[in-house]
Amino acid sequence: MSKVYNWQLGRKMKYPYDENHPDWQFAFVFNINRCIACQTCTMACKSTWTFSKGQEFMWWNNVETKPYGGYPQNWDVKLLNMLEKVNPDKQAWSADKGGTEKPYGTFQGMTIFEAAKKNISPTGSQRALGYLPTDAEWRSPNIHEETAAGDTMKKGEWGHSTQLPEHKVWFFYLQRLCNHCTYPGCLAACPRKAIYKRPEDGIVLIDQERCRGYRKCVEACPYKKSLYRPTTKISEKCIGCYPRIEGKDPTLSSNGVPLETRCMTACVGKIRLQGLVKKAPDGTWANVPDNPLHFLIRERQVALPLYPQFGTEPNGFYIPPRWVPRSYLTQMFGPGVDAAIEQYVCPDRELLDVLQLFRASQQIIFKFKIEKGPKVAELEVTLPSGKKKTQEVYNDTVIGYNKNGKESIRITVEEPTFERGSEHVNSI
Amino acid sequence: MHESEHPKNSPVEPEDPMMLKAEPVSGDPEVMLACIVEEYARMGWGADEIMELFDKPFFRATNGLKALFGEDEIRKRIESTLRQCGVLRCKETHAEPETEV
């Protein structure tokens, strides 16, 4: 096992291969606060890549309901339980946050790679701790997830029914696809060395000719985003819509500029921003403060990785939903949750401007610039702590540039309007 | 073959997938409602547009909140939130497609 540096854990960790980083890394930010689970992203992906025989239950992109749902069912709870069993009461973070080296502190527990060596089964140890979901768990991506919002049944309406604990209706939607991890569990586990990260953009692919369908990747991917296709007897996964990333879509990208993936561009709720971040030779993120992803993830830390404690250094990041209990969110996104939400609820001038870039253009935005304007409003915002704060809104214009350095989109924040309530006679 | 005990009387297996398990997770639907309304106000949606999210049964989260609070209450809360946070307006200008020389 090699020792590799995982910035999300704030420390080195064991991994089966040496560090070998791409020039650019595919990454994305999802703003969970705005998702209403319309599933347009899911269908955009499905209708593009997984509409064939044997792919019926294959959803490279899915949107699941938390805290109940998961595709496959309970994927995260199962793995968290396995880790807890191997390393009881020690899956914790220290609070020594500092700089780019350890932005969330240090994870003191075990990753899936480290825990695998302590979990010896009759067939030996795994390369990454994981499990193979049953067919039933894959069968339906959203089964029974939102029953809490269904019609109310009267007590005792069903004979011999079970009385469940009362649960108030709240949940949030979690959008998921392959995280194109820096240290992929699937790649580590593949006995055929059929899985690789592309040096040009860090997209993780399965070589369909080398794969023999042993399903070790399905077992090892902590996010369960490597899927087995029974008709071809090999595994498949999200390919990051790489023809679009390469700018080779002849209809939409005649000038060769990279485009966001299908699932990203289809998002009607404007919750998604995807792009490429420049990697430094040592594998860290190059300091490019005017890249919108770098700004949101590294500089402001308003977007956080999903289950960073698994140790794969995922490249998908989430702005956490602000109505959800913090302990739940901290388990899911690590210790940066409080600071991220605090910033997001009352965004400063620059953050508010950059947030407007979500789903503004199909072209990947490599750089943004802000043209400053006068102050147009002051809004009173209630922070999660209950304190009041004043948010200043400026008539700024944020400009997004594509890979060629050409302007792709220009968004101007205008003065907010205030709608009068229906109690006013002259209201519409 | 004769089983001494009928299966329905035998104890539930610990790993029985059909066994009903439920545990409440603390959370507040009122905060959820206020946050969702504010999010869409920040995207430039007015009260009527936001109300549609609650009316349509396809959006289970928002429609579930309407079932919980009732239509009048939802409308009242949307208007009250918009009065406080306002509706953020943005003007988008897309660049002309680059033409090949």
Side-chain angles (χ1 to χ4, degrees), chain B residues 1-46:
Chain B
M1 286 280 286
H2 177 73
E3 292 284 340
S4 59
E5 193 179 12
H6 191 279
K8 84 177 174 65
N9 297 325
S10 60
V12 175
E13 300 274 333
E15 291 299 315
D16 182 355
M18 301 304 287
M19 193 166 69
L20 204 52
K21 294 176 195 167
E23 197 175 311
V25 186
S26 64
D28 191 344
E30 299 208 10
V31 183
M32 178 181 173
L33 170 62
C35 290
I36 291 175
V37 172
E38 206 178 300
E39 284 299 328
Y40 279 82
R42 284 184 182 183
M43 282 173 65
W45 288 37

Side-chain angles (χ1 to χ4, degrees), chain A residues 21-96:
Chain A
H21 298 286
D23 301 332
W24 293 84
Q25 176 60 55
F26 176 98
F28 54 85
V29 171
F30 291 164
N31 183 355
I32 292 180
N33 291 279
R34 289 184 179 172
C35 182
I36 50 170
C38 66
Q39 305 283 5
T40 311
C41 52
T42 307
M43 294 315 297
C45 175
K46 187 83 183 152
S47 60
T48 308
W49 300 114
T50 61
F51 52 81
S52 301
K53 207 174 173 186
Q55 296 178 310
E56 291 85 354
F57 302 129
M58 196 178 275
W59 300 86
W60 290 355
N61 177 102
N62 77 293
V63 179
E64 60 198 39
T65 316
K66 291 292 176 193
Y68 308 109
Y71 171 72
Q73 287 170 9
N74 307 318
W75 62 273
D76 48 353
V77 178
K78 284 192 172 185
L79 189 55
L80 288 167
N81 277 339
M82 289 172 78
L83 285 163
E84 185 63 28
K85 210 177 264 184
V86 175
N87 192 29
D89 300 324
K90 289 180 188 155
Q91 293 294 95
W93 295 79
S94 72
D96 59 335

Side-chain angles (χ1 to χ4, degrees), chain A residues 303-361:
Chain A
L304 304 168
L306 178 63
Y307 292 117
Q309 65 268 44
F310 291 164
T312 59
E313 205 183 287
N315 290 299
F317 299 83
Y318 296 79
I319 300 178
R322 50 197 169 122
W323 60 84
V324 175
R326 294 303 165 82
S327 54
Y328 188 87
L329 290 179
T330 303
Q331 177 179 253
M332 187 170 265
F333 300 111
V337 166
D338 284 336
I341 293 181
E342 198 85 355
Q343 271 197 86
Y344 177 72
V345 170
C346 187
D348 65 15
R349 180 178 196 169
E350 209 174 6
L351 180 57
L352 184 68
D353 292 345
V354 174
L355 287 171
Q356 306 313 315
L357 292 172
F358 279 67
R359 282 283 11 86
S361 167

Side-chain angles (χ1 to χ4, degrees), chain A residues 31 33-34 36 38 67 146 149-150 162 164-171 173 254-255 269-270 322-323 325 344-347 352 356 360 379-380 382 391 393 402 404 406-419 421-423, chain B residues 20-36 38-40 42-43 45-48 53 58-65 67-68 75 79 82-98 100:
Chain A
N31 183 355
N33 291 279
R34 289 184 179 172
I36 50 170
C38 66
E146 292 165 334
T162 302
L164 293 172
E166 188 186 353
H167 176 85
K168 289 179 179 173
V169 181
W170 73 270
F171 42 80
Y173 296 112
S254 58
N255 51 0
K270 295 191 168 190
R322 50 197 169 122
W323 60 84
Y344 177 72
V345 170
C346 187
L352 184 68
Q356 306 313 315
L379 308 172
E380 189 187 83
T382 309
Q391 182 194 351
V393 179
N402 65 23
N404 297 342
K406 295 266 168 64
E407 182 176 321
S408 168
I409 184 75
R410 173 181 286 260
I411 306 158
T412 304
V413 177
E414 297 181 340
E415 184 182 352
T417 57
F418 291 85
E419 296 193 3
S422 51
E423 71 272 22
Chain B
L20 204 52
K21 294 176 195 167
E23 197 175 311
V25 186
S26 64
D28 191 344
E30 299 208 10
V31 183
M32 178 181 173
L33 170 62
C35 290
I36 291 175
E38 206 178 300
E39 284 299 328
Y40 279 82
R42 284 184 182 183
M43 282 173 65
W45 288 37
D48 291 338
L53 289 179
F58 311 111
F59 306 128
R60 296 300 300 267
T62 39
N63 193 245
L65 288 169
L68 184 72
R75 167 67 74 169
E79 287 173 357
L82 295 194
R83 259 200 302 277
Q84 194 196 341
C85 73
V87 179
L88 193 71
R89 305 280 181 195
C90 286
K91 189 177 144 198
E92 279 187 16
T93 314
H94 292 260
E96 291 291 317
E98 291 168 44
E100 286 177 50

Side-chain angles (χ1 to χ4, degrees), chain A residues 393-408:
Chain A
V393 179
Y394 291 85
N395 187 206
D396 289 349
T397 297
V398 58
I399 307 163
Y401 297 91
N402 65 23
K403 193 177 185 184
N404 297 342
K406 295 266 168 64
E407 182 176 321
S408 168

